[in-house]
Amino acid sequence: MNQLDALKQHTTVVADTGDFLQIAQYQPRDATTNPSLILKSVLKPAYAPLLDAVLVQHRGRPLDEVVDRLLVRFGTEILRVVPGRVSTEVDARLSFDAAATIARARRLIALYEAEGVPRERVLIKIAATWEGIRAAEALEREGIHTNLTLLFAFCQAVACADAGVRLISPFVGRIYDWHKARAGAQWDEAAMAGPNDPGVQSVTRIWHHYKRFGIPTEVMGASFRNVGQIRALAGCDLLTISPELLAQLATTEGDVPRRLDPAEAARAELPAVHYRAGEEAAFRFALNEDAMATEKLAEGIRLFCADARRLDALIASRH
């Protein structure tokens, strides 16, 4: 058995890509996209006809609407390949505006439903800022399910659970990047691999917390740098994996033992929770106390915004 099939015995595998022509061979259940992945895909010659079709069909419409229609077109094509759900991201420039995030999420869902896609097959991705979490809380009450992304801190995960979001995407690789850069020459790659990887540890703590307290929010590890991080989280609810790492798993023979076990949640050591649901000041203070999470959340939003602007510019130049 290859390691991808072995992983699927414990965890739902999700493809982290906008390249729907690449997905089918790995047979994931779901797929996730973000502004960077859509930009990467739309620049490929294979997707030029799709881009042209969207631009011709919606010529003269406002730029932000055309972008959303392009995102939905990619998502609709992905759903022809995967049996489950697709995650489509709200413009990261709205990360600190709850009302605008809600409005954009409603439009995305309306566009999907106009294409015959039921809302149960779509997760709206939103940055796990305070405003993003509040927007997700309101959307979930409307039956619009959300995927809270750019999640680095335990307090973000607790706040998402309090808000009743459907799924969170704690980032493994970017946490690993931060700690590795901070350690510099003192970083010991072998010693910090597997269960000692700080990104793996972060997801494990969140998963144990959710299981201990019966929280239904799904945990989907994301942003992997190597297959070792993926194997170390076997048993997590879902893992979203790039095509490159899916290929490595699919071409490597061997077992992938389960690492996250619900039975361990009862005895796992968990961080303290220093605020109650809905306490904005306490949330912001807890996030501020985590230098890694504060820096990576801000950086992640900036990077997604930059790629959103590049996508805007590409469409505007041809619209």
Side-chain angles (χ1 to χ4, degrees), residues 174-187:
R174 296 194 195 190
I175 295 175
Y176 161 89
D177 293 343
W178 188 90
H179 286 279
K180 182 175 181 178
R182 183 162 182 156
Q186 303 303 313
W187 181 262

Side-chain angles (χ1 to χ4, degrees), residues 32 87 123-127 145-149 167-169 220:
T32 56
S87 290
L123 293 171
I124 300 297
K125 284 182 78 174
I126 301 169
H145 297 308
T146 55
N147 169 356
L148 272 289
T149 189
L167 179 148
I168 62 169
S169 295
M220 180 170 70

Side-chain angles (χ1 to χ4, degrees), residues 126-291:
I126 301 169
T129 59
W130 175 259
E131 295 80 5
I133 295 169
R134 298 282 69 79
E137 184 175 38
L139 291 166
E140 292 286 353
R141 288 197 295 264
E142 298 178 14
I144 298 174
H145 297 308
T146 55
N147 169 356
L148 272 289
T149 189
L150 293 175
L151 195 146
F152 303 97
F154 189 73
C155 67
Q156 290 174 290
V158 173
C160 287
D162 291 339
V165 306
R166 174 58 58 92
L167 179 148
I168 62 169
S169 295
F171 278 30
V172 176
R174 296 194 195 190
I175 295 175
Y176 161 89
D177 293 343
W178 188 90
H179 286 279
K180 182 175 181 178
R182 183 162 182 156
Q186 303 303 313
W187 181 262
D188 185 333
E189 190 68 37
M192 300 303 289
N196 295 324
D197 184 303
V200 169
Q201 290 178 340
S202 177
V203 176
T204 300
R205 285 192 296 269
I206 292 167
W207 190 85
H208 281 152
H209 175 80
Y210 279 15
K211 300 313 172 189
R212 179 181 295 182
F213 295 105
I215 295 166
T217 299
E218 302 169 55
V219 179
M220 180 170 70
S223 171
F224 293 104
R225 296 294 179 259
N226 55 68
V227 293
Q229 293 172 334
I230 295 167
R231 290 193 296 262
L233 288 171
C236 192
D237 302 334
L238 309 93
L239 298 175
T240 184
I241 306 169
S242 69
E244 294 77 15
L245 295 180
L246 286 171
Q248 287 187 39
L249 291 166
T251 55
T252 303
E253 296 298 313
D255 190 23
V256 178
R258 181 170 192 144
R259 300 298 184 188
L260 299 191
D261 186 341
E264 296 179 2
R267 57 181 179 271
E269 184 176 345
L270 300 175
V273 178
H274 298 294
Y275 63 95
R276 291 186 294 274
E279 291 187 343
E280 179 179 357
F283 171 85
R284 293 191 186 281
F285 186 81
L287 183 60
N288 188 72
E289 287 288 277
D290 188 330

Side-chain angles (χ1 to χ4, degrees), residues 96 129 150 152 174 287 292-305:
F96 302 101
T129 59
L150 293 175
F152 303 97
R174 296 194 195 190
L287 183 60
M292 175 276 297
T294 299
E295 293 173 23
K296 299 308 284 187
L297 174 60
E299 177 190 71
I301 292 171
R302 286 195 300 270
L303 291 173
F304 282 162
C305 287

